[in-house]
Amino acid sequence: MEYKENKIICNCKQVSLFDIEDALKNNQRFEDVEKEFSEVQKITGCSTGCGGCHDKIIKIISDFLHNGLN
């Protein structure tokens, strides 16, 4: 998945890719994807509406933890 353009990932809460990236960059240490998902969810409110974006957000976080986002 390419992360070069900002787009809305969570329609219910209007959370964009860049919002998720910013939430991840503010953390000093990464332990695991589920923990980071919980932190991103607290910061942005994503995946607290219908939950339809959960898998997309997990994938973005996983990619970020393994490869970083450019």
Side-chain angles (χ1 to χ4, degrees):
M1 183 177 206
E2 288 287 324
Y3 299 115
K4 297 191 187 257
E5 69 179 59
N6 195 21
K7 59 184 173 182
I8 298 298
I9 304 298
C10 175
N11 290 318
C12 296
K13 303 295 180 177
Q14 293 297 295
V15 177
S16 72
L17 173 63
F18 290 173
D19 293 329
I20 295 168
E21 184 178 359
D22 285 344
L24 289 169
K25 284 183 176 180
N26 289 330
N27 288 333
Q28 297 295 325
R29 195 174 117 203
F30 298 115
E31 293 182 14
D32 62 47
V33 174
E34 280 297 327
K35 181 179 182 303
E36 295 310 318
F37 173 79
S38 180
E39 290 300 311
V40 168
Q41 192 175 44
K42 284 180 199 172
I43 292 167
T44 66
C46 66
S47 197
T48 59
C50 75
C53 61
H54 179 270
D55 291 346
K56 288 188 251 180
I57 294 168
I58 291 292
K59 170 91 170 96
I60 291 166
I61 292 169
S62 179
D63 288 349
F64 185 86
L65 295 179
H66 293 285
N67 305 318
L69 292 176
N70 295 322

